[in-house]
């Protein structure tokens, strides 16, 4: 089938990352995940005392600042497979001066939030669009 965002290209998994119509949604997902990650960090005393600006910088360095950035594109592809590059977890450990175990837990929390936000903002609305499209075509 064709893309539900009406860009006329073929809809497949890769198209989710390439379609211009999805770019705004990805940007929103990135902003939400950055804010949620900051909140997770602020809950940890050791990290909190390093200041919110510093925390934001570290997270933006991992997630990227725009949905088009190479950092975010790498992160999103791996995160949807529930994977993450090891050097990013080590960066969390070093920058926040926490143990590797704490960094792994923190990264796992960021990944979970990312996947939930992706489901809510992109996947669910997309599936609803597909159902509507099928109804229009008389497919049940
Ligand atoms: Zn498209």
């Amino acid at each position: 089938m064709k893309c539900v965002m009406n860009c006329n290209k073929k809809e497949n998994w890769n198209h989710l990352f390439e379609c211009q119509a999805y770019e705004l949604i990805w940007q929103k997902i990135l902003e939400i995940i950055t804010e949620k990650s900051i909140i997770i960090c602020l809950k940890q005393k050791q990290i909190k005392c390093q200041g919110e600006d510093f925390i934001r910088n570290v997270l933006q360095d991992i997630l990227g600042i725009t949905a088009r950035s190479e950092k975010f594109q790498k992160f999103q592809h791996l995160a949807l497979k529930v994977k993450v590059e090891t050097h990013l977890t080590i960066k969390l450990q070093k920058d926040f001066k926490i143990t590797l175990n704490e960094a792994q837990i923190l990264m796992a929390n960021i990944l979970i939030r990312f996947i939930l936000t992706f489901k809510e903002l992109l996947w669910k609305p997309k599936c609803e669009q597909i159902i509507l499209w099928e109804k229009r075509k008389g497919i049940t």
Side-chain angles (χ1 to χ4, degrees), residues 3-11 15 19-22:
C3 171
V4 292
M5 305 296 273
N6 291 322
C7 71
N8 273 324
K9 294 215 178 88
K10 226 181 128 203
E11 177 86 57
H15 188 69
C19 178
Q20 292 234 323
Y22 283 118

Side-chain angles (χ1 to χ4, degrees), residues 40-137:
I40 298 170
C41 288
L42 288 173
K43 281 185 187 154
Q44 221 164 318
K45 233 169 143 193
Q46 169 92 18
I47 304 175
K48 189 187 175 183
C49 66
Q50 297 173 65
E52 196 175 321
D53 287 343
F54 177 74
I55 294 170
R56 182 181 299 272
N57 282 338
V58 172
L59 293 171
Q60 283 181 338
D61 214 16
I62 287 172
L63 300 168
I65 296 174
T66 69
R68 275 251 159 254
S69 67
E70 205 181 310
K71 273 178 191 159
F72 183 68
Q73 302 213 340
K74 258 191 194 163
F75 182 86
Q76 73 183 156
H77 273 88
L78 284 174
L80 292 173
K81 296 177 191 156
V82 204
K83 284 180 189 164
V84 75
E85 286 177 291
T86 316
H87 76 92
L88 295 180
T89 309
I90 291 168
K91 179 177 166 55
L92 281 182
Q93 180 200 358
K94 282 187 179 157
D95 288 359
F96 290 147
K97 300 174 192 74
I98 53 180
T99 65
L100 184 59
N101 188 43
E102 285 170 323
Q104 281 164 342
I105 293 168
L106 178 58
M107 192 51 103
N109 274 317
I110 294 172
L111 275 184
I112 291 165
R113 296 304 191 292
F114 175 81
I115 291 166
L116 291 176
T117 311
F118 163 79
K119 270 195 170 167
E120 198 57 40
L121 268 79
L122 205 156
W123 197 249
K124 261 170 60 180
K126 177 183 142 76
C127 291
E128 281 157 17
Q129 285 284 317
I130 293 175
I131 291 166
L132 283 178
W133 178 87
E134 287 175 343
K135 275 190 182 153
R136 275 202 305 271
K137 300 265 173 186

